Every structure is written in structure tokens, then in C-alpha cells.
Amino acid sequence: MSLLRTKSVEQSIADTTDPEFRLKKSLSALDLTVFGVGVVIGAGIFTLTGRAAHEVAGPAVVISFIVAAIACGLAAMCYAEFASTVPVSGSAYTFSYASLGELFAWIIGWDLILEMFLGASVVAQGWSAYLSAFFEQLGVVLPQAVSSGGVVDLPAILLVLVLGGLMTIGIKESLRVNMALVAVKLFIVLFVIVAGIMFVNPANYTPFVPPSAPTETASDLTQPLLQFLSGLEPATFGVGGILAGAALVFFAYIGFDVVATTAEETKRPQRDLPIGIIASLVICTVLYCAVAIVVTGMVSYQDLDPSAALANAFAFHGQTWMATIIAAGAVAGLTTVVLTLMIGATRIIFAMSRDGLLPQGLAKVHPRFRTPWVISIVVTAIVAVVAGVTPVGILEEMVNIGTLSAFVLVSVGVIVLRRKRPDLPRGFRVPFSPVLPILSAAICTYLMLNLSVETWLRFLIWLALGFAIYFAYSRSHARLGRAGATPQPASPPES
């Protein structure tokens, strides 16, 4: 029973035709693009822009966004190639199973569960905070004990329960709601850009790259792992500040990879998945850079509020009514992020359960809705509890490290699968392979090293728990390891 046994692409595709586990194919390239934009444009554009500009990069934060976009763009191309080659639920988990082997697939699936559970919980709490702020601007004050920051975050719990019900009814129905909310969110972002231009003062762009300045050394556990290992003195602004800003705003791009989890529900996955993944990333990059330029032009980076830069930039110019509109947009925007991450989590667990690495009974598909309803209920319950009663804000970096580890393995997996199965039809191919996949893995590894020591320790604890489950249950229950399990022939998917 090899730890590196692989599940062939043919076998993965054949599993999608099993009536017991077959999902409904209903998504188009437009659905996937909206899906990607819906999850990517969220808390990052409303908060990280000001924080990165104020603390580490100054007006050059726009370059930080571009650097982070390049890193994500390289990973996105790797995801697009895999998704067009192996159009099966599970995203990086399924890709790793086909290329690197079962143990790596389990690790990455376990990491993705962490990313999406924590991500959905963190954003649900952020949604609750923006909702409270929006109500306060309307003169309505929610009871402190059952609102954001209280004993129980009731708005966050109610949001998760409503979205969980929507997710169970159907992926297409979920994306109709998602599309409407994304339209609201894009309107707010474009409103910020167009309205903010009127208040831009070119003097705020000088200096565009503030001179590098030493900063206080963080404690042993809160300092970046790279700093801990190298002994380098920390500094902000300058070129180093731009790179530090890229590591910080990287969180704002997380989510485009969730598009790949819907591969089995896409009508023409070879064509539509690459379009959805890459188009959503391009759209978000353009909007992020435009917002960064406008906000740092409206208010000097030294005076930006790192917690709510967009709303406070307008309040700085006496436009409090605009701040109210932005708060409403944030509520709509964060709703789509929670929904998309929850859908992604269900599809990851669905793929792992169908393969036997988690209890197979979880992967049952509803006879009418054709969705994994048991997993949807489990995901909804866990996210609701975590978001409602746990202070998960301190674990935000865990979302980053889970995502980046997936990016690294997918980038390496593209190279491996190219060499092992050059015969497979690929709807999209990463150009200049293996150079670009290697560069993608290297950049993502560097960004991981910029995360704190305590984040790495928590990550190692999570991995240890995952290894314990794998060796105690998953390895012996995997369908691939059962007697007589052989790759099943399957016709190539439609291109």
C-alpha cells in the first residue's frame, strides 16, 4: 500500500459518472467568472488596501498588488491547466492525487479544508462587523452580547445558516444569488473609483516609494519565519516594503482557486474553467490597482485608517453618506465570499469522501437537487459554530498558509503530470513549462516564509492531526487501495 499511489485521470473522470455521486452540470464560463470575482473581491479591497499603504508600502501599494497578482497569475495558469485536464471536483486535492500521489493529495485536501472553513468563518465575522457599522450609521444599534464581538455573533450564524440552505438547494441557484450580489459589489467598487477621483490630490503620491525605515523587532513567535531564520532586521517602506505589502495583500486575491472545485458542475470544463479562473483574476487585479491609486491619492498614506480605509477616506473629505454606501457594499460583498468558500469546502470534502479518504456516506448526492446535501449540512454547522462563538480573527494567516501550500503543490504537480502523462488532452497549457510552474512554486514558497512563526507552528499542528487521521483511517479505507481496484477506462471529456 504505497503512500504515493496515484489515482489515474481516467479513473477520476469515470467516478463522475457514478449515479450515486453524480453532480448536476449547469455552469458556464460567465458563471465561473462571476463565481471567482465573488470570492476574490471581499474583505481585502475594503481593509487591506489602507493597511498595506499605511504600514509598509505607501502609495507604492499599487505595485504590491501587481506583484501579488503576478504570483497568483502563475498559480492560476497551473490551476487552469489541471482543471482543463482533470475536470473533477476537489481542485488541488484531485490534481495532486493524479500527479503526486495519495499522501500529498491528503495533505493538500486537509490544508484546503482548513483554508475554506477558517476563511468562511473569518469573513462571516467581518460581514457581521460591517452589518453592525451599517446599522449604526442608520441609527440602529444591535445588542452587544449577540452581535459582532459579543458572546455569540448571532448575525454571523444566521448568515451561514441561510447560505447553507441556499447551497444545499443547488449550485445554479446559489450562483444566481451570487451574481446579483457581485453586481452590487462591483457597483460599489466602481463608485469608489469614480467618486474618489474628484478628491485626489497629486501631492499625496509624493514620495511614491517612501524611504525604507527600520521597525520594531517582533517577538520570536510573531516575527516572519524568514526573519527568524535569517536574523535580518525588519524594515518598512522602500523596495522591501513593496514586497512585504505583496505578502500582505496576497490575502485579497485568495479565492480564484475555488473556481476549480466546481469542475464537475461545469458544462464545458476544458474551455470554461481556464476562462473563469484567469478572467476573474484579471478583473480583480484591475479593480484592486484602481482602488489603491484612488485611495492613496485621496488621503496621504500616513493618515490612512488601516482598519476601514475606503469608508474613512470619504469621511476624511466630509462625505459621510458615501461611507454609508460603502459599508452597505461591504455587506453585500462579503456575503458572496462566505457563500463561495462554503461551496468550495463542500466540493473538497465531497471528492475526498468519494475516494474513501473520509467516510463515503458523506458524499451522498440529493436525488432531486443533485448536491452533496449531507456534506453541506456538516459544513454549514461547523462554520456557523466557529463563526458564532470563536475568536478566529487571530487565525487569519492560517488561511494564507493553507492556500499557498496548495499553490506550491499544484505548480509542482503540473510539471509531474506533463512528464508522466504527456498524452492527456489539455484544454489549456501553461506556457514556458517547466519554467513558469517552478517560478510559481518559488514565489509562493517565499510568501509562505513571510508568514509568522506562530502561524507555521499552528500549521504543523494541523498537519500532525491530519497525518494521524490519514494513517488511522484514510489509508486503509481509500477506494484506490481496496482489493481489485483498478483504473477504469473512460472516454476523454468533451472539449
Side-chain angles (χ1 to χ4, degrees):
M1 294 175 64
S2 171
L3 296 177
L4 300 180
R5 58 193 177 194
T6 57
K7 182 179 181 182
S8 71
V9 173
E10 290 81 4
Q11 194 171 357
S12 294
I13 294 173
D15 283 347
T16 67
T17 63
D18 187 332
E20 189 176 8
F21 303 118
R22 188 172 66 245
L23 300 174
K24 182 179 178 181
K25 292 182 177 292
S26 59
L27 304 183
S28 65
L30 176 60
D31 290 325
L32 296 176
T33 302
V34 173
F35 191 65
V37 172
V39 70
V40 174
I41 297 184
I45 200 165
F46 295 106
T47 59
L48 285 180
T49 304
R51 181 180 165 196
H54 179 75
E55 296 178 358
V56 294
V61 68
V62 64
I63 303 177
S64 299
F65 273 112
I66 293 172
V67 172
I70 291 172
C72 288
L74 294 172
M77 287 191 288
C78 296
Y79 267 88
E81 175 167 331
F82 254 131
S84 68
T85 309
V86 193
V88 179
S89 280
S91 185
Y93 157 76
T94 300
F95 308 155
S96 299
Y97 213 159
S99 56
L100 301 175
E102 185 173 280
L103 182 61
F104 285 104
W106 168 262
I107 292 170
I108 210 60
W110 190 241
D111 289 350
L112 288 172
I113 290 173
L114 171 72
E115 171 202 342
M116 294 181 189
F117 270 38
L118 278 183
S121 301
V122 168
V123 178
Q125 290 185 343
W127 177 91
S128 178
Y130 269 106
L131 182 70
S132 296
F134 175 63
F135 279 159
E136 285 176 9
Q137 289 168 345
L138 297 179
V140 178
V141 179
L142 299 177
Q144 180 59 40
V146 292
S147 60
S148 177
V151 178
V152 176
D153 195 336
L154 186 59
I157 293 176
L158 294 176
L159 171 71
V160 172
L161 293 178
V162 170
L163 296 182
L166 180 63
M167 176 177 70
T168 305
I169 292 173
I171 185 72
K172 189 68 176 180
E173 290 74 14
S174 299
L175 292 191
R176 285 184 184 135
V177 174
N178 189 60
M179 187 173 292
L181 292 173
V182 168
V184 173
K185 178 161 54 176
L186 290 179
F187 170 78
I188 297 299
V189 172
L190 292 174
F191 171 81
V192 168
I193 295 169
V194 174
I197 290 175
M198 298 185 294
F199 302 103
V200 167
N201 179 2
N204 289 329
Y205 294 127
T206 305
F208 188 72
V209 182
S212 179
T215 187
E216 292 183 14
T217 304
S219 68
D220 287 343
L221 292 182
T222 57
Q223 65 182 316
L225 181 63
L226 185 62
Q227 178 186 315
F228 175 79
L229 296 175
S230 65
L232 295 174
E233 291 297 321
T236 56
F237 304 111
V239 175
I242 293 175
L243 296 178
L248 182 60
V249 302
F250 178 85
F251 180 80
Y253 286 103
I254 286 178
F256 71 84
D257 54 310
V258 182
V259 174
T261 66
T262 63
E264 277 183 54
E265 294 151 286
T266 303
K267 296 175 183 176
R268 293 180 290 180
Q270 280 66 35
R271 183 186 78 99
D272 294 346
L273 279 167
I275 292 174
I277 292 171
I278 295 173
S280 59
L281 185 61
V282 170
I283 291 170
C284 294
T285 300
V286 172
L287 292 176
Y288 280 164
C289 290
V291 168
I293 290 172
V294 169
V295 170
T296 54
M298 291 176 67
V299 182
S300 169
Y301 73 92
Q302 296 169 318
D303 299 324
L304 276 174
D305 184 339
S307 61
L310 297 195
N312 285 302
F314 284 98
F316 182 85
H317 290 279
Q319 307 297 319
T320 53
W321 67 274
M322 292 185 178
T324 303
I325 292 178
I326 292 170
V331 171
L334 297 184
T335 303
T336 68
V337 179
V338 178
L339 174 62
T340 311
L341 287 173
M342 289 174 63
I343 291 173
T346 62
R347 274 38 178 188
I348 295 291
I349 298 173
F350 172 77
M352 297 176 75
S353 300
R354 185 170 58 186
D355 289 336
L357 298 181
L358 292 173
Q360 214 164 5
L362 292 174
K364 301 296 183 184
V365 174
H366 194 280
R368 177 185 173 189
F369 301 133
R370 307 308 302 173
T371 59
W373 65 279
V374 177
I375 296 174
S376 296
I377 292 172
V378 172
V379 169
T380 300
I382 294 175
V383 173
V385 171
V386 174
V389 300
T390 310
V392 292
I394 59 173
L395 300 179
E396 284 183 16
E397 283 194 355
M398 294 292 288
V399 180
N400 282 8
I401 200 167
T403 305
L404 285 166
S405 61
F407 287 3
V408 171
L409 288 182
V410 168
S411 300
V412 173
V414 164
I415 301 170
V416 173
L417 196 62
R418 282 269 191 111
R419 293 186 176 181
K420 290 174 65 175
R421 295 295 307 275
D423 58 304
L424 288 173
R426 291 167 168 83
F428 176 86
R429 298 175 72 91
V430 179
F432 307 111
S433 182
V435 175
L436 290 189
I438 291 173
L439 184 59
S440 172
I443 292 175
C444 291
T445 301
Y446 171 77
L447 291 175
M448 288 177 71
L449 292 174
N450 275 279
L451 297 174
S452 67
V453 174
E454 62 183 357
T455 296
W456 276 90
L457 291 176
R458 290 171 181 150
F459 184 57
L460 292 176
I461 293 171
W462 178 256
L463 285 181
L465 178 60
F467 280 127
I469 295 174
Y470 175 76
F471 286 107
Y473 177 88
S474 305
R475 190 180 180 210
S476 59
H477 287 78
R479 291 176 67 186
L480 199 60
R482 295 174 192 170
T486 55
Q488 305 171 41
S491 302
E494 297 178 6
S495 57

